Amino acid sequence: MKLRIRLVVLLLFTAALLTLAWLSTSPRYTVRQVVITTANEGEEVSAEVKAQLSTLVGTPLLRLSPAKEEARLKQLATVQDAVIRRRLPDTITVHLTVTESRVIIHSSDDEGYYLIKDGHLFAITGEDAAPYQRRVMTIEVPASYAQVMVRWGVDELFEQVIELTDSLGGESSLITRVKYDNNSSNSFGKMVLELSSLHAQIWVREPVGAARVQAAIALVQEDRERSLFFLSSEAKRYDLYREGLVRR
């Protein structure tokens, strides 16, 4: 009786192995569809994510490791978190938490783009930067400074620049360009706000709040209108300090 039970168990185990082997090699059970959802409705899936997920098409579904593929996705700049599930016979579902970045960093001297993830700069393509740029402002920095922050993370001074830029987003349509250079004679560096429509620049020379910048923009607008700025193509520079605005 015991021998018969052992034979039945052995046969069932063998049958299970054969079934699993067939499922893992059958063309019917290979990945043909990848369904992607995001934590926030309407978020765009980056090109780097699509490219990586496309490599899974044709993979035997049961041989695919969700944990391994989730880890690979989380290494991408535009992915903060990912959850992958297998769905028989031929589908995997991918739920993404897209990386939130308060600003986009652009190094104009080498045309590099970066977003901020976990306190560091991560390189992305211009294509993947575009959806972010429609929502947040872009800060231009020297390429050498960007590489320092890729390796060592965002420093305290640049964090102040980010906070100010983020607070100005949507508040002033007159700001057409933001540039920052940490190589300056003062500790804060040089933050330049371009007001193209007024042919003017505001050089922020010390850490200030958004309200102070808004007040400075209003003063610049009044000054430029009095001086008939539209008759000249020369950009006028104004230096902004905590205590006041200086026309150069």
Side-chain angles (χ1 to χ4, degrees), residues 1-247:
M1 187 68 178
K2 290 183 179 179
L3 179 60
R4 182 179 297 178
I5 292 174
R6 288 178 180 175
L7 287 174
V8 170
V9 171
L10 181 60
L11 287 172
L12 290 174
F13 181 71
T14 302
L17 286 179
L18 291 173
T19 301
L20 183 61
W22 177 75
L23 288 175
S24 64
T25 57
S26 171
R28 174 173 168 76
Y29 297 98
T30 59
V31 178
R32 299 182 186 278
Q33 298 184 77
V34 179
V35 179
I36 307 173
T37 59
T38 57
N40 298 313
E41 187 177 352
E43 286 183 318
E44 295 187 44
V45 179
S46 66
E48 65 176 1
V49 168
K50 293 177 181 177
Q52 183 156 305
L53 290 175
S54 69
T55 64
L56 301 180
V57 175
T59 303
L61 189 63
L62 297 184
R63 292 184 182 179
L64 183 143
S65 169
K68 180 180 177 181
E69 298 305 328
E70 288 168 0
R72 289 181 63 205
L73 283 172
K74 291 176 189 178
Q75 291 178 356
L76 300 179
T78 55
V79 178
Q80 192 66 48
D81 196 16
V83 177
I84 295 179
R85 295 286 184 267
R86 291 176 291 198
R87 193 169 69 196
L88 291 174
D90 60 2
T91 302
I92 59 172
T93 62
V94 183
H95 186 69
L96 298 174
T97 300
V98 175
T99 301
E100 296 272 344
S101 187
R102 291 174 293 165
V103 296
I104 286 295
I105 312 301
H106 177 44
S107 55
S108 56
D109 41 355
D110 67 356
E111 291 304 317
Y113 288 90
Y114 305 84
L115 57 76
I116 301 170
K117 177 182 177 182
D118 301 330
H120 286 256
L121 264 60
F122 284 76
I124 57 175
T125 64
E127 179 184 1
D128 285 341
Y132 285 94
Q133 289 179 302
R134 291 193 285 269
R135 303 192 305 270
V136 301
M137 297 183 74
T138 301
I139 304 175
E140 293 185 18
V141 301
S144 58
Y145 188 43
Q147 289 305 311
V148 168
M149 290 189 287
V150 167
R151 181 172 182 181
W152 300 108
V154 175
D155 59 59
E156 183 178 349
L157 289 176
F158 194 66
E159 179 62 33
Q160 294 176 342
V161 173
I162 292 170
E163 289 180 3
L164 178 55
T165 304
D166 182 33
S167 66
L168 292 172
E171 295 296 326
S172 177
S173 59
L174 291 176
I175 300 175
T176 53
R177 192 177 183 187
V178 179
K179 296 187 290 184
Y180 178 74
D181 191 342
N182 64 323
N183 293 319
S184 181
S185 57
N186 66 25
S187 59
F188 176 70
K190 180 180 66 181
M191 183 179 181
V192 179
L193 308 178
E194 288 199 4
L195 312 174
S196 298
S197 63
L198 298 177
H199 300 168
Q201 294 181 341
I202 297 177
W203 289 29
V204 183
R205 307 313 300 260
E206 296 176 334
V208 295
R212 189 73 189 86
V213 174
Q214 291 297 333
I217 291 174
L219 289 173
V220 169
Q221 190 168 15
E222 291 177 9
D223 184 59
R224 297 303 282 161
E225 288 174 354
R226 285 198 303 268
S227 62
L228 301 178
F229 70 92
F230 49 84
L231 297 178
S232 172
S233 59
E234 181 183 357
K236 194 68 178 177
R237 169 185 160 186
Y238 300 79
D239 283 4
L240 178 60
Y241 301 89
R242 294 188 187 96
E243 301 302 322
L245 182 69
V246 178
R247 182 174 60 182

